[in-house]
Amino acid sequence: MTTSQKLFNQLQSVLSGEPWYGPSVYAIVDSISFEAAYEKPAGSVHNIAAIILHMTGWTEEVMDRMNGMDAQLPVRGDWPEPGLPDEQKWKWIVEDIKLVNVNLAGFIQNFPEERWSEIVAGKPGADEADETYEYQVAGLIQHHIYHSAQIALLNRMING
């Protein structure tokens, strides 16, 4: 199995498949109500909408890196502010996380196999394994898992 196939399969499992650890990212996100998305339980730093915007921004940043751009913080910012509660905006946030991951899946499938072990552009002095394109995408998949668990926990805190 190629690196592209392996990463693509892992991404699909985490996003919409049946990962061994529990519900997929989309199963969790699709269970969130508009009201819960903007509520911030006591002690929470971010609400669910902000976490999803964060996930979307980092997905875009990894694609930019795969496209040869220098590594940096996401264009949207690390933690974009979701603004005031807005039901239509919430629908767009959910659509956006799904669309950006469709694009990522395409990037993964079309990424040249010989480039997976290359160092990501803009990482001065980088020579560690964690600076390769393969590691960046694998890390993003882990990032999705981590934040989807946060979302599930916040939703449980909100809805009991």
Side-chain angles (χ1 to χ4, degrees):
M1 180 180 297
T2 67
T3 301
S4 294
Q5 291 169 327
K6 179 181 72 170
L7 291 170
F8 175 82
N9 291 345
Q10 289 174 0
L11 180 67
Q12 294 309 307
S13 174
V14 165
L15 292 175
S16 60
E18 295 183 18
W20 68 266
Y21 60 82
S24 69
V25 172
Y26 296 160
I28 293 168
V29 170
D30 289 341
S31 73
I32 306 299
S33 69
F34 150 69
E35 295 82 7
Y38 286 90
E39 189 170 330
K40 193 186 308 182
S44 298
V45 177
H46 303 287
N47 62 24
I48 292 168
I51 294 170
I52 295 174
L53 289 172
H54 169 79
M55 292 168 69
T56 301
W58 277 103
T59 304
E60 291 169 337
E61 172 58 22
V62 168
M63 286 190 297
D64 285 347
R65 293 174 185 189
M66 293 172 75
N67 226 8
M69 295 175 67
D70 285 352
Q72 60 183 1
L73 286 176
V75 172
R76 298 176 184 236
D78 191 16
W79 286 98
E81 180 57 45
L84 297 173
D86 179 317
E87 191 166 4
Q88 184 57 52
K89 186 175 181 182
W90 169 243
K91 289 177 184 177
W92 291 333
I93 289 170
V94 172
E95 288 174 15
D96 204 21
I97 187 78
K98 292 178 180 182
L99 178 60
V100 77
N101 278 289
V102 166
N103 293 338
L104 175 63
F107 268 72
I108 291 170
Q109 288 180 306
N110 295 312
F111 200 71
E113 191 63 25
E114 65 277 3
R115 293 202 53 219
W116 284 113
S117 60
E118 289 180 14
I119 303 300
V120 172
K123 292 285 199 173
D127 60 1
E128 300 295 323
D130 65 344
E131 304 299 343
T132 66
Y133 291 105
E134 179 180 6
Y135 192 86
Q136 297 280 302
V137 171
L140 181 68
I141 293 168
Q142 295 165 8
H143 187 255
H144 281 358
I145 295 167
Y146 173 81
H147 284 302
S148 66
Q150 279 186 314
I151 291 166
L153 288 171
L154 284 173
N155 192 44
R156 189 174 207 160
M157 290 170 66
I158 293 164
N159 293 308

